Amino acid sequence: MPGTGSDQAEASSTRDRILDVALDLFVERGFDGTSLRQIAEPLGMTKAALYYHFESKEAILMALHMRLHEFGRVLLATVGDEPVTLETWGKLLSELMDQMMAQRKIFLLHERNQAAFERVHNKSHQQEHEDFETWFRTTLADSSLSVHDRVRMAGAFGVVFTALFLSGDAFSSATPDELRDELHGAVDDLLRNEPATGATLDHS
Amino acid sequence: MPGTGSDQAEASSTRDRILDVALDLFVERGFDGTSLRQIAEPLGMTKAALYYHFESKEAILMALHMRLHEFGRVLLATVGDEPVTLETWGKLLSELMDQMMAQRKIFLLHERNQAAFERVHNKSHQQEHEDFETWFRTTLADSSLSVHDRVRMAGAFGVVFTALFLSGDAFSSATPDELRDELHGAVDDLLRNEPATGATLDHS
DNA sequence: GTCTATATTTCGATAGAC
DNA sequence: GTCTATCGAAATATAGAC
């Protein structure tokens, strides 16, 4: 909350406009490849002015991280404490897919700046926060699930992630609805418990 | 080719040892988060010595990039000029999967340093090289293929990529053979031409 | 081939005026 | 809230001795 702003109804705070520009640049050139001057310039200010709104460059990155963190918090709440199965995983992915399509840039930010996030994460003693990414990887490593099921779970996520983020704009010609339906179909194929046709597969 | 080395049979050249250390650090901390001093120190030399073997820090990154580029060149050759179908895509992925498991670090390097690669790639006027990544994305964007097929192709790649690179060490307990078999199964499920309804599956 | 300097640049961050 | 000016640190890269 930067001070005693007078415009109650201004469309977006300066703080938010800084974050929007930073998000674009961090996705495009990377966190380390972006200088504060490059963030300030399109906003018509100098880099010194940024320090009125953020105490450091890393604070800008962490503020953007919070946007993802909030999605994860909500998502974890919808899962509740149901045991993880191929079916519940499908429901989770369905929710996640919508979030990813709506907040594309935030996910791209994290995909393209893993090293920077890890560095800042360690510096700041911010351990002990129930992170969605942590839960995700912990679940995939849960040895009480079969390797078969876990590969399917990771793979189903990978289908969505790759189509949306690693394929460039390969699917920009498809409508969002068409893409979402195709992704659902692919995810369902992966998570469907194989019917025992001909041979019995045992994946307890 | 650094000069007139006297040890013909030395296990690895200094140049290669520099690249090996740099690869580890670039994967762990990122290209921008790694200084030349951090590369030189574990090798028992000073950063100035690195300039005898490489003309710049970016040259080290590009030398590592060449390792991936060579894989891609070989891979593209195996594809030949066959038209891309779900079946040929499966064969390609099978080859690619083996390469990925054998050369894990090189792929991790590219996954975690996309911004740095793009920056260096643009600076160096190295356009005009038949890049595997370029071919990959171009193929996925080929509008002569149906969206359905292209989503399946991107997704099948995503299954492999995610299990091997985005899941941390979630599958480190599984044997490489077990993991490879499971990935093949998942890929086949995605690329199998859907039978009309309960009809015959044709994967010749 | 590797070293000890050092040049040069850029960046994050601060001080203080307005 | 934003500016000008500057500090201090760290990085890439070079020069020249050995």
Side-chain angles (χ1 to χ4, degrees), chain B residues 2 4 23-24 45 59 62 84 96 131 145 159 164 173 175 180:
Chain B
T4 63
L23 175 56
D24 282 341
M45 43 168 105
M62 291 315 289
V84 175
L96 185 54
D131 196 303
L145 298 171
V159 166
L164 295 183
S173 65
T175 67
R180 200 193 55 232

Side-chain angles (χ1 to χ4, degrees), chain A residues 17-173:
Chain A
R17 286 189 298 120
I18 292 172
L19 289 177
D20 289 340
V21 171
L23 176 56
D24 282 340
L25 290 173
F26 289 170
V27 167
E28 199 177 317
R29 321 161 73 98
F31 175 76
D32 291 303
T34 303
S35 70
L36 292 178
R37 186 195 147 278
Q38 290 173 318
I39 297 174
E41 190 183 37
L43 291 165
M45 42 169 103
T46 64
K47 64 178 177 176
L50 298 178
Y51 282 90
Y52 179 81
H53 302 277
F54 296 94
E55 69 173 351
S56 69
K57 185 187 178 186
E58 292 182 351
I60 298 179
L61 188 67
M62 290 314 290
L64 290 171
H65 176 62
M66 286 303 107
R67 293 185 179 179
L68 180 71
H69 196 265
E70 183 59 20
F71 298 148
R73 215 185 52 76
V74 174
L75 216 56
L76 272 186
T78 67
V79 190
D81 45 5
E82 292 180 82
V84 176
T85 65
L86 291 187
E87 191 182 350
T88 60
W89 192 261
K91 293 177 183 171
L92 175 71
L93 266 191
S94 185
E95 291 285 341
L96 185 55
M97 190 189 310
D98 290 340
Q99 293 280 17
M100 283 176 162
M101 293 180 78
Q103 306 290 344
R104 197 164 187 275
K105 279 187 199 168
I106 290 291
F107 285 89
L108 270 178
L109 171 73
H110 285 75
E111 190 242 321
R112 291 173 63 96
N113 292 281
Q114 296 177 57
F117 275 114
E118 286 166 15
R119 188 188 337 134
V120 175
H121 234 74
N122 289 359
K123 253 177 90 167
S124 162
H125 32 294
Q126 283 207 354
Q127 275 93 5
E128 308 294 344
H129 64 161
E130 186 57 22
D131 196 303
F132 180 72
E133 295 175 72
T134 303
W135 176 87
F136 207 85
R137 295 193 175 183
T138 303
T139 302
L140 287 181
D142 181 357
S143 58
S144 74
L145 298 171
S146 68
V147 172
H148 176 89
D149 283 5
R150 287 188 282 135
V151 166
R152 294 301 171 127
M153 288 159 55
F157 169 78
V159 166
V160 178
F161 192 79
T162 299
L164 295 182
F165 300 122
L166 298 184
S167 301
D169 53 354
F171 301 113
S172 57
S173 65

